[in-house]
Amino acid sequence: MAIAVDLQQVTKIYTTGAGDQVALNDVSLLVEEGEFVSIMGPSGSGKSTLMNIIGLLDRPSYGSYWLAGQDTSVLTEKELAAFRARTIGFVFQSFNLLPRTSVLKNVTLPMEYTGVARAERRRRAESALTAAGLRPEVFTHKSNEISGGQMQRVAIARSLVNDPALLLADEPTGNLDSRTGAAVLKMFQELNAQGRTIILITHDPGIARHAGRTIHILDGRLFEGEEGERAVAAAQAQGVVS
């Protein structure tokens, strides 16, 4: 099985007025193509920093990151942006849709930066929206005229139109009721069954259990399996996580 995500000894340090802050500490992570992995941690654990590095929104201070066989450290900022657009589909808690823009236009936007012809952009967008469970009559609605569940389905469709190597979801059910959230998680499982590589960032154990593998992040370090369970138990005993 090919490796989709390969982080080796990644450290991220932020310099602040109070001194250096280590957000990630010697993190290594391998995710194979077709895996569904959840990364779970409380606020301040480093999971947002890890998501930003995996999503090529930030660079590590030290260590290496290979994505879909590409060493990301050798890319210029312009090359990195183009590679990110082709390789990663993002799904955010807040949907990040343009509110007064049609559903269809929201989904075609990522393709405008990758050289896809207009007719092909429309075809792909309509296909992705249909696959996300939305009816054609919704396509012309503005995104602020539809429900939260529909908005997240639009966001998922948008994330898929460039056929990315990785789908990166950050608390994707955080703004949804439990029933709608369950439907969205089921959709992720169906996408994974079709071969999509998915990394889901969450603080919720119930959400994390929908993935095939769960990794815990605490104090900028990754823990998995029994080691992860021991780390979480120790953090709970100290009142760090509930």
Side-chain angles (χ1 to χ4, degrees):
M1 183 73 72
I3 301 297
V5 170
D6 183 358
L7 285 86
Q8 294 296 328
Q9 297 179 299
V10 165
T11 294
K12 181 64 181 180
I13 300 172
Y14 295 105
T15 300
T16 69
D20 289 345
Q21 177 186 353
V22 180
L24 293 177
N25 191 349
D26 196 31
V27 164
S28 294
L29 173 65
L30 293 177
V31 177
E32 294 183 345
E33 286 184 2
E35 272 201 284
F36 186 0
V37 175
S38 64
I39 298 175
M40 189 173 74
S43 177
S45 61
K47 67 180 186 294
S48 293
T49 300
L50 180 59
M51 187 206 74
N52 287 340
I53 288 176
I54 292 173
L56 300 177
L57 300 170
D58 200 357
R59 293 184 188 260
S61 303
Y62 305 102
S64 66
Y65 177 28
W66 290 68
L67 175 61
Q70 170 68 56
D71 180 0
T72 63
S73 68
V74 302
L75 300 176
T76 66
E77 290 302 319
K78 184 176 180 180
E79 290 169 338
L80 198 69
F83 182 65
R84 180 174 60 239
R86 295 194 309 270
T87 313
I88 304 174
F90 292 93
V91 182
F92 298 100
Q93 176 178 346
S94 56
F95 317 130
N96 285 20
L97 301 176
L98 297 178
R100 290 178 293 278
T101 302
S102 74
V103 163
L104 190 65
K105 179 68 173 176
N106 267 282
V107 178
T108 61
L109 276 174
M111 293 179 283
E112 294 182 12
Y113 305 104
T114 55
V116 179
R118 179 174 295 181
E120 178 63 8
R121 292 200 300 263
R122 184 181 183 93
R123 187 196 67 77
R124 286 194 203 176
E126 290 177 345
S127 177
L129 286 163
T130 300
L134 292 166
R135 297 179 179 276
E137 55 265 28
V138 176
F139 299 176
T140 56
H141 289 189
K142 292 181 174 60
S143 66
N144 59 351
E145 297 173 342
I146 58 179
S147 70
Q150 288 174 319
M151 283 193 279
Q152 195 59 293
R153 288 178 181 273
V154 173
I156 293 170
R158 180 187 58 191
S159 75
L160 296 174
V161 289
N162 281 327
D163 193 23
L166 173 66
L167 191 60
L168 186 58
D170 181 23
E171 302 281 7
T173 63
N175 284 336
L176 304 176
D177 61 69
S178 58
R179 182 178 178 182
T180 306
V184 167
L185 289 169
K186 182 180 178 183
M187 186 176 176
F188 280 123
Q189 290 177 317
E190 290 170 349
L191 289 167
N192 178 242
Q194 296 165 14
R196 294 281 176 184
T197 306
I198 302 173
I199 295 178
L200 186 153
I201 312 294
T202 184
H203 70 282
D204 186 336
I207 302 298
R209 281 194 289 270
H210 287 78
R213 177 160 67 111
T214 297
I215 297 168
H216 296 273
I217 182 167
L218 292 167
D219 297 326
R221 293 181 177 273
L222 296 186
F223 304 90
E224 191 169 0
E226 292 183 0
E227 183 187 25
E229 293 172 5
R230 289 195 297 270
V232 171
Q236 288 173 331
Q238 296 170 16
V240 176
V241 297
S242 58

